Amino acid sequence: MNFKLRLWRQKDRTSPGSFQEVEAHGISPDMSFLEMLDEVNNDMIRAGSEPVAFESDCREGICGTCSLVVEGLPHGPDKGTTVCQLFMRRFLDGQTISVEPWRAKAFPILKDLVADRAAFDDIIAAGGFISAKTGSAPDANGLPVPKKDADTAMDAAACIGCGACVAACPNASAMLFVAAKVSHLGHLPQGQPERERRVVRMVSKMDEAGFGNCSNRYECEAACPKEISVEHIARMNRDYGVSSLFGSERVRAEGGAG
Amino acid sequence: MNPIAAYFRSSIGRKQLMGLSGIYLYIFLLIHLVGNIGLLMGPEHFNQYGYLLTHTLREIIIPIEFSLLAAFLLHLGLGFKLAAENRAARPERYAVKASKARSGAYRGWMMLTGSWLLLFVIVHMPHFRFGAYRVAPIANYDGLEMNDLYAEALRSFANPWFTGFYLLSFALLFTHLAHGVQSSLQSLGVNHPRYNTGFRRFSWAYAVVICGGFAALAVWAHFQGKI
Ligand code: FES
């Protein structure tokens, strides 16, 4: 298969970027989108030009490193799929495909298709953890968790932190990511001691990082490769209101891990 | 920062205030609509109702009006503020933009329809709430003099431009409510798989009843005024 690619090229954080038109030749329909880009990069290297920078790690849809906006859709046109698991057979031979990085003020572009998602790490460090004693593992049945809660927590824990929710949101809001983390730990007994602190601090970190506000358009849910539900956002809204207005401790926004 | 102050400055806190003020305003719309239905019962009933609000129940109504004004200003101020922040959160736009969500485009028009509704209120309030004292003729029932709001409404709606402006405003209000009612519930954390379809239907039904009701009365007044 052959494709005409429009790849976003940007030298660094501050330089303005633009599209570069590149031809991809002899692509197998069974290649993933990233393997196709590897081929294109090989051609560029052979031709002596600079290859396009993009991120990936596991290439099996579980790590959340890959992050491309393909034809205006974060992770491409498939539902519940990361772009590393998107295959070229999904496209038409000869099709023109635009590839852009995640765009958000809180995710500055480092180079080409690579955006800096450290803001997510800061949010996690602000409260996305539990305090547990180290030592030998406790007995698995020692701490009963209702099946329903375990399921909901698992659904939320499926979040791989890729940031597609931010990329898809018309307001570049990080609500789905933060909600997934808050809801995941909030559903488990181990998450209870820090429950109030967690939601307040994570939300305040999120606001501080410059993400937009949620306007309930649900683009995030549709773009999420793990199909995490906006129900978690409602739960976080509830938790946040209750914890900051009626919480048993006076949580200060600052502080976090360590 | 004090946790309560932090709440009112946070994204979620302000969204919840938007939702609450919105809910207050849309409950008011329902009451307003019920009052307007009085138009169908003729001039005496409608004018007496106006008199009841502006004179007999004055002490109760004025504080309510101020609370509505406060909710309106809060809703509008936060709306503009949040929208500005949202724009700033993505300084560089996508060259190609598509969507996987199957939500209607109208959900993205809140700013636009909201601004129009502000214009509507600026036109509507001085006319029927304050201006009526000056423009409306006087009706006399058993020696009690009052503004003939009924006549004023019919006279105004006889003008097709005036009716058109109102109808357009109701149409935009419709899209505003269709998203807003549901959105306010989500912001306040009211979301449950068992009731979500119900909320979505309620959101639409509410918008249909409110806007359909006002629009029907405007059309009725238009034709009534002509004859
Ligand atoms: S590279 Fe790991 S999810 Fe795509």
Side-chain angles (χ1 to χ4, degrees):
Chain A
M1 297 177 90
N2 301 321
F3 301 100
K4 242 192 229 87
L5 300 175
R6 293 174 69 227
L7 304 175
W8 185 260
R9 304 304 300 260
Q10 183 166 336
K11 197 161 146 277
D12 52 34
R13 242 169 228 261
T14 43
S15 320
S18 64
F19 281 107
Q20 181 191 11
E21 306 233 342
V22 184
E23 307 258 334
H25 294 294
I27 301 296
S28 153
D30 296 329
M31 277 182 184
S32 74
F33 201 84
L34 301 188
E35 286 166 335
M36 182 274 296
L37 285 180
D38 289 340
E39 289 293 307
V40 169
N41 272 347
N42 281 341
D43 286 348
M44 288 204 223
I45 292 167
R46 271 195 289 272
S49 55
E50 188 172 327
V52 61
F54 65 91
E55 279 190 286
S56 76
D57 189 9
C58 71
R59 298 213 173 184
E60 57 181 6
I62 56 167
C63 76
T65 309
C66 57
S67 46
L68 300 174
V69 176
V70 179
E71 282 294 282
L73 296 167
H75 288 307
D78 285 346
K79 252 191 115 56
T81 309
T82 53
V83 71
C84 59
Q85 288 292 297
L86 171 69
F87 294 94
M88 296 317 291
R89 51 178 174 265
R90 187 67 172 72
F91 299 91
L92 299 172
D93 195 19
Q95 191 179 337
T96 305
I97 307 171
S98 304
V99 190
E100 292 176 75
W102 279 186
R103 292 194 193 279
K105 187 169 130 227
F107 287 166
I109 294 169
L110 294 175
K111 187 176 168 56
D112 297 343
L113 300 167
V114 180
D116 181 359
R117 287 169 283 178
F120 270 13
D121 301 336
D122 295 342
I123 296 174
I124 293 291
F129 52 82
I130 58 160
S131 305
K133 284 206 185 81
T134 52
S136 55
D139 178 53
N141 293 324
L143 204 54
V145 180
K147 172 85 170 81
K148 213 182 121 288
D149 288 349
D151 286 350
T152 314
M154 189 58 220
D155 287 347
C159 169
I160 51 178
C162 64
C165 42
V166 176
C169 175
N171 314 323
S173 165
M175 289 286 276
L176 191 61
F177 166 75
V178 182
K181 302 305 170 192
V182 164
S183 190
H184 161 206
L185 298 174
H187 268 95
L188 298 173
Q190 293 90 337
Q192 298 314 309
E194 284 121 346
R195 184 167 174 179
E196 293 177 355
R197 243 176 291 170
R198 178 180 307 116
V199 62
V200 171
R201 288 187 179 155
M202 288 182 86
V203 167
S204 108
K205 214 9 135 212
M206 167 183 85
D207 290 350
E208 199 185 297
F211 293 104
N213 307 292
C214 179
S215 56
N216 303 320
R217 300 272 296 277
Y218 306 160
E219 292 284 348
C220 50
E221 180 184 68
C224 178
K226 299 297 154 187
E227 305 187 290
I228 290 170
S229 160
V230 293
E231 222 180 291
H232 297 293
I233 296 186
R235 192 173 292 113
M236 173 167 74
N237 288 336
R238 221 151 52 213
D239 254 22
Y240 182 80
V242 172
S243 300
S244 32
L245 296 178
F246 314 107
S248 54
E249 51 177 340
R250 281 169 66 90
V251 186
R252 308 251 155 213
E254 53 274 53
Chain B
M1 198 192 304
N2 172 311
I4 312 272
Y7 171 82
F8 287 112
R9 293 178 59 163
S10 70
S11 55
I12 296 181
R14 289 181 298 163
K15 285 286 304 167
Q16 295 185 335
L17 288 180
M18 280 284 302
L20 283 174
S21 53
I23 289 174
Y24 188 46
L25 292 170
Y26 65 68
I27 290 173
F28 159 73
L29 285 179
L30 184 63
I31 296 168
H32 190 325
L33 176 64
V34 171
N36 282 15
I37 291 174
L39 270 174
L40 301 177
M41 295 175 205
E44 173 152 9
H45 175 94
F46 189 70
N47 290 335
Q48 295 275 18
Y49 172 68
Y51 188 82
L52 178 78
L53 293 185
T54 51
H55 292 80
T56 320
L57 295 180
R58 200 162 182 273
E59 272 70 38
I60 305 169
I61 294 294
I62 300 271
I64 295 180
E65 282 181 327
F66 271 107
S67 72
L68 283 168
L69 178 69
F72 186 75
L73 291 177
L74 182 71
H75 193 77
L76 168 151
L78 284 175
F80 281 116
K81 183 84 191 9
L82 292 170
E85 287 176 9
N86 290 347
R87 283 201 74 78
R90 177 165 295 133
E92 186 157 11
R93 313 258 120 198
Y94 287 105
V96 185
K97 188 71 194 116
S99 164
K100 268 188 240 180
R102 278 172 310 154
S103 66
Y106 67 91
R107 295 187 190 276
W109 302 343
M110 298 306 272
M111 195 61 225
L112 215 72
T113 51
S115 307
W116 182 274
L117 293 172
L118 170 64
L119 175 75
F120 174 80
V121 169
I122 291 174
V123 172
H124 177 70
M125 289 289 291
H127 180 200
F128 281 113
R129 174 65 185 86
F130 303 116
Y133 298 110
R134 271 174 280 116
V135 292
I138 299 296
N140 190 319
Y141 302 110
D142 303 328
L144 193 61
E145 288 203 337
M146 58 187 71
N147 295 307
D148 195 347
L149 281 172
Y150 182 88
E152 175 56 21
L154 260 50
R155 186 190 67 77
S156 306
F157 279 102
N159 180 343
W161 291 104
F162 187 88
T163 308
F165 174 73
Y166 270 65
L167 289 181
L168 175 63
S169 303
F170 297 148
L172 296 177
L173 174 65
F174 177 82
T175 71
H176 201 83
L177 286 179
H179 177 67
V181 175
Q182 194 201 343
S183 179
S184 59
L185 293 173
Q186 167 82 1
S187 293
L188 291 165
V190 185
N191 175 318
H192 190 289
R194 204 177 299 154
Y195 305 114
N196 279 348
T197 320
F199 289 147
R200 222 177 357 259
R201 294 210 183 117
F202 171 75
S203 189
W204 275 87
Y206 198 86
V208 168
V209 168
I210 294 288
C211 301
F214 279 123
L217 285 170
V219 171
W220 176 85
H222 176 66
F223 288 109
Q224 198 68 18
K226 276 223 162 125
I227 299 161

